[in-house]
Amino acid sequence: MKTYFKRRAALLIQLIAVSLVAACGGGGEGGIVTAGNVTTTTTASTTTTTASAGGPTVLYTDVISGPTSGGEGNNGTYLSIFGKNFGSSGLGTTTKVYLGNVEVASYRSLGTSKVPGMQQITVQVGSLGGAAQGVALPIKVTVGGVASNTNVTFMPNPGRILYVDNVAGNDATAVPGDITHPYRYVQTPALYTGGAWPIARAGDMIVMRGRGNANPWTDVGFENYFMRFRDKSGSAPTGVSGTGAIVLMGYPGEDTYIRGTLANGMTGGCVSAINGQSFPGLGQWVVIANLRLDCEGYDGPISQQIFGHNWRVINNDLSASTAPRTGGSVPRMAGITGNGNNAVWYGNHIHDIQGSAQECHGIYIDGDGSYDIAYNYIHDIRDGNGFQVYVNGGNGSVEANNINLHHNLIRDVSKHGVNLADGTKNNVNVWNNVVYNVQYAAIRFNTLTLSGAKIYNNTFYNTNQAKNSFYGALTNDWSLPTGAMDVENNIFYVAAGTPYNSGSVTVPPSAGTFTRNVWFNGTGNPSIDSAPVVLDPLFVVPGSDFHLQAASPAIGSGSKAAAVMSLVTTDFDLAIRSAATMDIGALKY
């Protein structure tokens, strides 16, 4: 297991060959282990600690707050913790979870998340020794006595757990917090009548039971979506009742599968916010976690819409595998789309996206906000880009700023790997991504406003599979301003005989800094680069294992500029980057 998590990128790809699509559950559940709430007199520390080499590492959680009572066993919130080196067994014995130095009440599961290579622990937090509401507690995972980092937190916050079951539920007899008396519907077309949605308020968690393909959720809610966050909103958690996000999540260890088809009437999409221009302040502070959605509707699996601020989209399996590609109901969407501040999209498996020709993408930002997009696995995008930013003024803004795209695996894309198009502007950072098997450009630019974008330590392989001279490793189709970007330490391994720099305009040297990138297998001299490495990067297995061989010219050859070193602190595998050396590409030797 240790080797598995050290070599995450290679084994992500190897797992594809052994039926990656089947990895849609939340990990095996070996029964529920209940632990005593160990109360200590030690004050919880919020100081970040660093796990020892090979020790457990906590990266993120699904929810950031929730109740410490109510629900199943009166143990409160289901909390999923994502990271690595959590061990392969011994949950509740050798592998333990503490919040503020108090052990959680109930252990649910330990296994692989919806993104292979990322582990998931799910617990119920319990009373936490009477921890104060509204005070964030550091999360600590220990494995064999070795402690993780503690910079990721969870806040006790009042709320209710509303169980929903599409087989055993009954709206007429449902009782909030009682798993034995669940609701039947999440939301009905009437919006205010029937289901859990009419009574849900800020801080509540809607927990959906799952039976996979045997009993998918096919209900149609408001405005022909499965669920629309239409008339209310969550809020920032403060420890006061009526605050906190509204959560929609799958029950731990079950495959909660939402199947949205046009034939069944789900024409809008699966899960959506609302237009924040028309309904200011609504449809915000939402968590969508641990679900599987396959949706044919126009807005696709998940849409934040306009001004969908403070959405967390965590550990979901998202597809549009049968969306129409011709006819009168062809969608234009993405696995995740929309705009808003504080958007956190982590650890989602986005795949088999199709619809309108070249207008359906893996992830699509269509307006201004702030975005952290990481640890996602995006593949088989049949009608668009792996990742796109495009803002045309019709979605509440004319530009997009504050975008972090990092530690994502993107492959088999029908258009560009990364498309930074109209309106992409300030504070755009793209690092530690692995992108391969792309029909067009590795990165395409089509923006007049880009300024200071940092593009560091990405690995691009087998780009421009179409072998069209109009596309290159870098493709530019508009007038980039001076200082638009800083491109360092990337590997551009293009399809044989295709250009490094192309497009209707091409990327000019005045567009910024280009240095210490590997360029291989293409045509022309990459003169845009002030210190190019025009050699085979010597991957362990080109196309399947992008680690570097011992003789690779990329080892130790990267730029150590301050801007690079401050942003690229780990590699794609989350191994610490050394201040003494810097390897080129997403994966250090």
Side-chain angles (χ1 to χ4, degrees), residues 64-66 133-135 155-158 201-204 233-246 281 284-287 309-312 342:
I64 61 172
S65 66
Q133 302 291 299
V135 178
M155 178 187 292
N157 191 72
R201 60 184 182 233
D204 287 351
S233 184
S235 69
T238 65
V240 176
S241 182
T243 68
I246 299 176
Q284 300 177 4
W285 284 97
V286 170
V287 177
H309 303 315
N310 302 293
W311 273 54
R312 290 178 67 85
N342 193 29

mmCIF file of all heavy atoms in Angstrom, residues 64-66 133-135 155-158 201-204 233-246 281 284-287 309-312 342:
data_model
loop_
_atom_site.group_PDB
_atom_site.id
_atom_site.type_symbol
_atom_site.label_atom_id
_atom_site.label_comp_id
_atom_site.label_asym_id
_atom_site.label_seq_id
_atom_site.Cartn_x
_atom_site.Cartn_y
_atom_site.Cartn_z
ATOM 1 N N ILE A 64 -16.999 21.165 6.125
ATOM 2 C CA ILE A 64 -16.091 21.886 7.015
ATOM 3 C C ILE A 64 -16.743 22.183 8.353
ATOM 4 O O ILE A 64 -16.084 22.680 9.268
ATOM 5 C CB ILE A 64 -15.589 23.195 6.379
ATOM 6 C CG1 ILE A 64 -16.754 24.143 6.080
ATOM 7 C CG2 ILE A 64 -14.788 22.897 5.120
ATOM 8 C CD1 ILE A 64 -16.326 25.528 5.629
ATOM 9 N N SER A 65 -18.050 21.864 8.466
ATOM 10 C CA SER A 65 -18.746 22.075 9.733
ATOM 11 C C SER A 65 -19.966 21.165 9.771
ATOM 12 O O SER A 65 -20.391 20.621 8.745
ATOM 13 C CB SER A 65 -19.190 23.540 9.882
ATOM 14 O OG SER A 65 -20.171 23.864 8.909
ATOM 15 N N GLY A 66 -20.536 20.999 10.956
ATOM 16 C CA GLY A 66 -21.734 20.192 11.075
ATOM 17 C C GLY A 66 -22.066 19.888 12.523
ATOM 18 O O GLY A 66 -21.277 20.164 13.444
ATOM 19 N N GLN A 133 -19.398 25.083 20.181
ATOM 20 C CA GLN A 133 -19.918 25.326 18.841
ATOM 21 C C GLN A 133 -19.246 26.573 18.249
ATOM 22 O O GLN A 133 -18.999 27.557 18.940
ATOM 23 C CB GLN A 133 -21.437 25.527 18.886
ATOM 24 C CG GLN A 133 -22.203 24.356 19.479
ATOM 25 C CD GLN A 133 -22.172 23.135 18.581
ATOM 26 O OE1 GLN A 133 -22.640 23.167 17.449
ATOM 27 N NE2 GLN A 133 -21.614 22.043 19.085
ATOM 28 N N GLY A 134 -18.962 26.495 16.957
ATOM 29 C CA GLY A 134 -18.410 27.661 16.270
ATOM 30 C C GLY A 134 -16.914 27.821 16.382
ATOM 31 O O GLY A 134 -16.374 28.828 15.924
ATOM 32 N N VAL A 135 -16.234 26.848 16.982
ATOM 33 C CA VAL A 135 -14.770 26.912 17.113
ATOM 34 C C VAL A 135 -14.163 25.795 16.261
ATOM 35 O O VAL A 135 -14.437 24.615 16.484
ATOM 36 C CB VAL A 135 -14.328 26.757 18.579
ATOM 37 C CG1 VAL A 135 -12.807 26.772 18.673
ATOM 38 C CG2 VAL A 135 -14.934 27.860 19.433
ATOM 39 N N MET A 155 -15.508 22.395 12.134
ATOM 40 C CA MET A 155 -16.165 23.257 13.122
ATOM 41 C C MET A 155 -17.491 22.648 13.587
ATOM 42 O O MET A 155 -18.399 22.447 12.776
ATOM 43 C CB MET A 155 -16.445 24.640 12.525
ATOM 44 C CG MET A 155 -17.180 25.581 13.487
ATOM 45 S SD MET A 155 -17.682 27.138 12.701
ATOM 46 C CE MET A 155 -16.069 27.887 12.424
ATOM 47 N N PRO A 156 -17.647 22.343 14.873
ATOM 48 C CA PRO A 156 -18.971 21.977 15.387
ATOM 49 C C PRO A 156 -19.962 23.118 15.144
ATOM 50 O O PRO A 156 -19.668 24.285 15.462
ATOM 51 C CB PRO A 156 -18.716 21.773 16.881
ATOM 52 C CG PRO A 156 -17.256 21.450 16.978
ATOM 53 C CD PRO A 156 -16.603 22.273 15.915
ATOM 54 N N ASN A 157 -21.099 22.775 14.577
ATOM 55 C CA ASN A 157 -22.081 23.799 14.227
ATOM 56 C C ASN A 157 -23.470 23.167 14.239
ATOM 57 O O ASN A 157 -23.659 22.066 13.722
ATOM 58 C CB ASN A 157 -21.779 24.350 12.829
ATOM 59 C CG ASN A 157 -22.579 25.596 12.512
ATOM 60 O OD1 ASN A 157 -22.308 26.662 13.070
ATOM 61 N ND2 ASN A 157 -23.543 25.488 11.608
ATOM 62 N N PRO A 158 -24.471 23.814 14.829
ATOM 63 C CA PRO A 158 -25.798 23.206 14.919
ATOM 64 C C PRO A 158 -26.392 22.907 13.548
ATOM 65 O O PRO A 158 -26.128 23.605 12.567
ATOM 66 C CB PRO A 158 -26.626 24.267 15.653
ATOM 67 C CG PRO A 158 -25.622 25.106 16.370
ATOM 68 C CD PRO A 158 -24.412 25.131 15.495
ATOM 69 N N ARG A 201 -32.781 23.879 6.127
ATOM 70 C CA ARG A 201 -32.326 25.246 6.370
ATOM 71 C C ARG A 201 -30.813 25.239 6.512
ATOM 72 O O ARG A 201 -30.166 24.187 6.522
ATOM 73 C CB ARG A 201 -32.989 25.808 7.623
ATOM 74 C CG ARG A 201 -32.692 25.027 8.880
ATOM 75 C CD ARG A 201 -33.453 25.588 10.084
ATOM 76 N NE ARG A 201 -33.138 24.864 11.307
ATOM 77 C CZ ARG A 201 -34.041 24.334 12.114
ATOM 78 N NH1 ARG A 201 -35.337 24.417 11.804
ATOM 79 N NH2 ARG A 201 -33.682 23.708 13.234
ATOM 80 N N ALA A 202 -30.236 26.403 6.615
ATOM 81 C CA ALA A 202 -28.786 26.515 6.742
ATOM 82 C C ALA A 202 -28.288 25.651 7.890
ATOM 83 O O ALA A 202 -28.850 25.664 8.981
ATOM 84 C CB ALA A 202 -28.397 27.968 6.963
ATOM 85 N N GLY A 203 -27.236 24.883 7.629
ATOM 86 C CA GLY A 203 -26.657 23.999 8.629
ATOM 87 C C GLY A 203 -27.148 22.570 8.553
ATOM 88 O O GLY A 203 -26.580 21.687 9.212
ATOM 89 N N ASP A 204 -28.188 22.308 7.755
ATOM 90 C CA ASP A 204 -28.753 20.960 7.652
ATOM 91 C C ASP A 204 -28.023 20.132 6.604
ATOM 92 O O ASP A 204 -27.491 20.668 5.620
ATOM 93 C CB ASP A 204 -30.236 21.021 7.299
ATOM 94 C CG ASP A 204 -31.101 21.481 8.463
ATOM 95 O OD1 ASP A 204 -30.567 21.581 9.587
ATOM 96 O OD2 ASP A 204 -32.300 21.739 8.240
ATOM 97 N N SER A 233 -30.724 29.595 1.045
ATOM 98 C CA SER A 233 -29.276 29.540 0.945
ATOM 99 C C SER A 233 -28.698 29.135 2.282
ATOM 100 O O SER A 233 -29.315 29.361 3.332
ATOM 101 C CB SER A 233 -28.715 30.916 0.546
ATOM 102 O OG SER A 233 -27.309 30.852 0.351
ATOM 103 N N GLY A 234 -27.537 28.505 2.236
ATOM 104 C CA GLY A 234 -26.777 28.311 3.456
ATOM 105 C C GLY A 234 -26.051 29.597 3.818
ATOM 106 O O GLY A 234 -26.284 30.663 3.238
ATOM 107 N N SER A 235 -25.165 29.486 4.781
ATOM 108 C CA SER A 235 -24.395 30.658 5.195
ATOM 109 C C SER A 235 -23.080 30.189 5.798
ATOM 110 O O SER A 235 -22.856 28.996 5.979
ATOM 111 C CB SER A 235 -25.175 31.481 6.224
ATOM 112 O OG SER A 235 -25.272 30.774 7.461
ATOM 113 N N ALA A 236 -22.239 31.118 6.136
ATOM 114 C CA ALA A 236 -21.007 30.764 6.842
ATOM 115 C C ALA A 236 -21.372 30.193 8.215
ATOM 116 O O ALA A 236 -22.256 30.711 8.892
ATOM 117 C CB ALA A 236 -20.127 31.993 7.012
ATOM 118 N N PRO A 237 -20.724 29.108 8.637
ATOM 119 C CA PRO A 237 -21.015 28.561 9.970
ATOM 120 C C PRO A 237 -20.453 29.462 11.057
ATOM 121 O O PRO A 237 -19.317 29.933 10.965
ATOM 122 C CB PRO A 237 -20.308 27.205 9.946
ATOM 123 C CG PRO A 237 -19.177 27.390 8.976
ATOM 124 C CD PRO A 237 -19.692 28.337 7.933
ATOM 125 N N THR A 238 -21.249 29.704 12.078
ATOM 126 C CA THR A 238 -20.798 30.561 13.185
ATOM 127 C C THR A 238 -20.966 29.902 14.541
ATOM 128 O O THR A 238 -20.604 30.493 15.559
ATOM 129 C CB THR A 238 -21.586 31.876 13.185
ATOM 130 O OG1 THR A 238 -22.964 31.596 13.471
ATOM 131 C CG2 THR A 238 -21.468 32.601 11.852
ATOM 132 N N GLY A 239 -21.538 28.711 14.579
ATOM 133 C CA GLY A 239 -21.843 28.075 15.851
ATOM 134 C C GLY A 239 -23.235 28.380 16.346
ATOM 135 O O GLY A 239 -23.646 27.896 17.411
ATOM 136 N N VAL A 240 -23.994 29.161 15.589
ATOM 137 C CA VAL A 240 -25.361 29.531 15.947
ATOM 138 C C VAL A 240 -26.323 28.754 15.066
ATOM 139 O O VAL A 240 -26.091 28.581 13.861
ATOM 140 C CB VAL A 240 -25.582 31.051 15.776
ATOM 141 C CG1 VAL A 240 -27.037 31.427 16.048
ATOM 142 C CG2 VAL A 240 -24.650 31.826 16.698
ATOM 143 N N SER A 241 -27.407 28.274 15.630
ATOM 144 C CA SER A 241 -28.418 27.542 14.872
ATOM 145 C C SER A 241 -28.914 28.376 13.702
ATOM 146 O O SER A 241 -29.132 29.580 13.825
ATOM 147 C CB SER A 241 -29.597 27.175 15.779
ATOM 148 O OG SER A 241 -30.548 26.423 15.063
ATOM 149 N N GLY A 242 -29.078 27.720 12.553
ATOM 150 C CA GLY A 242 -29.510 28.418 11.352
ATOM 151 C C GLY A 242 -28.379 28.971 10.530
ATOM 152 O O GLY A 242 -28.618 29.761 9.599
ATOM 153 N N THR A 243 -27.137 28.581 10.856
ATOM 154 C CA THR A 243 -25.982 28.970 10.033
ATOM 155 C C THR A 243 -25.298 27.701 9.521
ATOM 156 O O THR A 243 -25.496 26.612 10.044
ATOM 157 C CB THR A 243 -24.969 29.806 10.826
ATOM 158 O OG1 THR A 243 -24.331 28.983 11.831
ATOM 159 C CG2 THR A 243 -25.632 30.991 11.496
ATOM 160 N N GLY A 244 -24.480 27.866 8.505
ATOM 161 C CA GLY A 244 -23.751 26.751 7.919
ATOM 162 C C GLY A 244 -24.257 26.425 6.528
ATOM 163 O O GLY A 244 -25.330 26.885 6.100
ATOM 164 N N ALA A 245 -23.508 25.623 5.802
ATOM 165 C CA ALA A 245 -23.898 25.227 4.458
ATOM 166 C C ALA A 245 -25.095 24.290 4.491
ATOM 167 O O ALA A 245 -25.371 23.634 5.500
ATOM 168 C CB ALA A 245 -22.722 24.540 3.759
ATOM 169 N N ILE A 246 -25.816 24.234 3.375
ATOM 170 C CA ILE A 246 -26.792 23.172 3.152
ATOM 171 C C ILE A 246 -26.076 22.067 2.393
ATOM 172 O O ILE A 246 -25.498 22.307 1.327
ATOM 173 C CB ILE A 246 -28.012 23.678 2.359
ATOM 174 C CG1 ILE A 246 -28.734 24.792 3.144
ATOM 175 C CG2 ILE A 246 -28.970 22.531 2.062
ATOM 176 C CD1 ILE A 246 -29.883 25.422 2.390
ATOM 177 N N GLY A 281 -28.336 36.438 -3.473
ATOM 178 C CA GLY A 281 -28.115 35.859 -2.159
ATOM 179 C C GLY A 281 -28.639 34.458 -1.969
ATOM 180 O O GLY A 281 -28.431 33.861 -0.912
ATOM 181 N N GLN A 284 -26.538 29.747 -2.323
ATOM 182 C CA GLN A 284 -25.133 29.842 -1.943
ATOM 183 C C GLN A 284 -24.842 28.982 -0.706
ATOM 184 O O GLN A 284 -25.747 28.462 -0.077
ATOM 185 C CB GLN A 284 -24.767 31.304 -1.681
ATOM 186 C CG GLN A 284 -24.972 32.205 -2.895
ATOM 187 C CD GLN A 284 -24.684 33.663 -2.627
ATOM 188 O OE1 GLN A 284 -24.253 34.046 -1.536
ATOM 189 N NE2 GLN A 284 -24.932 34.508 -3.611
ATOM 190 N N TRP A 285 -23.566 28.826 -0.402
ATOM 191 C CA TRP A 285 -23.117 28.020 0.731
ATOM 192 C C TRP A 285 -23.723 26.606 0.658
ATOM 193 O O TRP A 285 -24.619 26.243 1.417
ATOM 194 C CB TRP A 285 -23.437 28.676 2.063
ATOM 195 C CG TRP A 285 -22.520 29.811 2.393
ATOM 196 C CD1 TRP A 285 -22.740 31.124 2.200
ATOM 197 C CD2 TRP A 285 -21.197 29.704 2.954
ATOM 198 N NE1 TRP A 285 -21.649 31.862 2.595
ATOM 199 C CE2 TRP A 285 -20.684 31.011 3.075
ATOM 200 C CE3 TRP A 285 -20.403 28.631 3.372
ATOM 201 C CZ2 TRP A 285 -19.424 31.290 3.589
ATOM 202 C CZ3 TRP A 285 -19.147 28.903 3.890
ATOM 203 C CH2 TRP A 285 -18.666 30.213 3.993
ATOM 204 N N VAL A 286 -23.200 25.838 -0.284
ATOM 205 C CA VAL A 286 -23.705 24.497 -0.575
ATOM 206 C C VAL A 286 -22.536 23.518 -0.583
ATOM 207 O O VAL A 286 -21.429 23.852 -1.003
ATOM 208 C CB VAL A 286 -24.417 24.487 -1.952
ATOM 209 C CG1 VAL A 286 -24.730 23.070 -2.405
ATOM 210 C CG2 VAL A 286 -25.690 25.335 -1.898
ATOM 211 N N VAL A 287 -22.774 22.295 -0.119
ATOM 212 C CA VAL A 287 -21.819 21.191 -0.255
ATOM 213 C C VAL A 287 -22.504 20.062 -1.012
ATOM 214 O O VAL A 287 -23.606 19.638 -0.642
ATOM 215 C CB VAL A 287 -21.340 20.670 1.115
ATOM 216 C CG1 VAL A 287 -20.398 19.467 0.923
ATOM 217 C CG2 VAL A 287 -20.628 21.769 1.907
ATOM 218 N N HIS A 309 -21.879 31.418 -4.941
ATOM 219 C CA HIS A 309 -20.740 31.576 -4.034
ATOM 220 C C HIS A 309 -20.692 30.458 -2.986
ATOM 221 O O HIS A 309 -21.715 29.931 -2.545
ATOM 222 C CB HIS A 309 -20.809 32.926 -3.318
ATOM 223 C CG HIS A 309 -20.851 34.112 -4.236
ATOM 224 N ND1 HIS A 309 -20.022 34.232 -5.337
ATOM 225 C CD2 HIS A 309 -21.620 35.235 -4.224
ATOM 226 C CE1 HIS A 309 -20.272 35.378 -5.953
ATOM 227 N NE2 HIS A 309 -21.244 35.994 -5.296
ATOM 228 N N ASN A 310 -19.476 30.105 -2.615
ATOM 229 C CA ASN A 310 -19.211 29.196 -1.488
ATOM 230 C C ASN A 310 -19.798 27.796 -1.696
ATOM 231 O O ASN A 310 -20.465 27.248 -0.822
ATOM 232 C CB ASN A 310 -19.741 29.812 -0.177
ATOM 233 C CG ASN A 310 -19.121 31.150 0.115
ATOM 234 O OD1 ASN A 310 -17.926 31.252 0.376
ATOM 235 N ND2 ASN A 310 -19.922 32.207 0.028
ATOM 236 N N TRP A 311 -19.524 27.233 -2.848
ATOM 237 C CA TRP A 311 -19.888 25.836 -3.127
ATOM 238 C C TRP A 311 -18.663 24.952 -2.953
ATOM 239 O O TRP A 311 -17.570 25.271 -3.456
ATOM 240 C CB TRP A 311 -20.401 25.691 -4.558
ATOM 241 C CG TRP A 311 -21.868 25.949 -4.723
ATOM 242 C CD1 TRP A 311 -22.554 27.059 -4.324
ATOM 243 C CD2 TRP A 311 -22.821 25.079 -5.347
ATOM 244 N NE1 TRP A 311 -23.881 26.941 -4.669
ATOM 245 C CE2 TRP A 311 -24.072 25.742 -5.298
ATOM 246 C CE3 TRP A 311 -22.738 23.828 -5.947
ATOM 247 C CZ2 TRP A 311 -25.237 25.166 -5.824
ATOM 248 C CZ3 TRP A 311 -23.899 23.268 -6.476
ATOM 249 C CH2 TRP A 311 -25.129 23.933 -6.407
ATOM 250 N N ARG A 312 -18.857 23.829 -2.266
ATOM 251 C CA ARG A 312 -17.853 22.773 -2.200
ATOM 252 C C ARG A 312 -18.403 21.565 -2.951
ATOM 253 O O ARG A 312 -19.465 21.032 -2.596
ATOM 254 C CB ARG A 312 -17.558 22.376 -0.748
ATOM 255 C CG ARG A 312 -16.817 23.428 0.059
ATOM 256 C CD ARG A 312 -16.610 22.968 1.504
ATOM 257 N NE ARG A 312 -15.702 21.834 1.612
ATOM 258 C CZ ARG A 312 -14.378 21.927 1.667
ATOM 259 N NH1 ARG A 312 -13.778 23.118 1.575
ATOM 260 N NH2 ARG A 312 -13.634 20.849 1.797
ATOM 261 N N ASN A 342 -15.043 31.588 -3.703
ATOM 262 C CA ASN A 342 -14.755 30.490 -2.778
ATOM 263 C C ASN A 342 -15.325 29.162 -3.277
ATOM 264 O O ASN A 342 -15.919 28.403 -2.518
ATOM 265 C CB ASN A 342 -15.292 30.804 -1.378
ATOM 266 C CG ASN A 342 -14.764 29.855 -0.325
ATOM 267 O OD1 ASN A 342 -13.656 29.323 -0.438
ATOM 268 N ND2 ASN A 342 -15.555 29.627 0.714
#
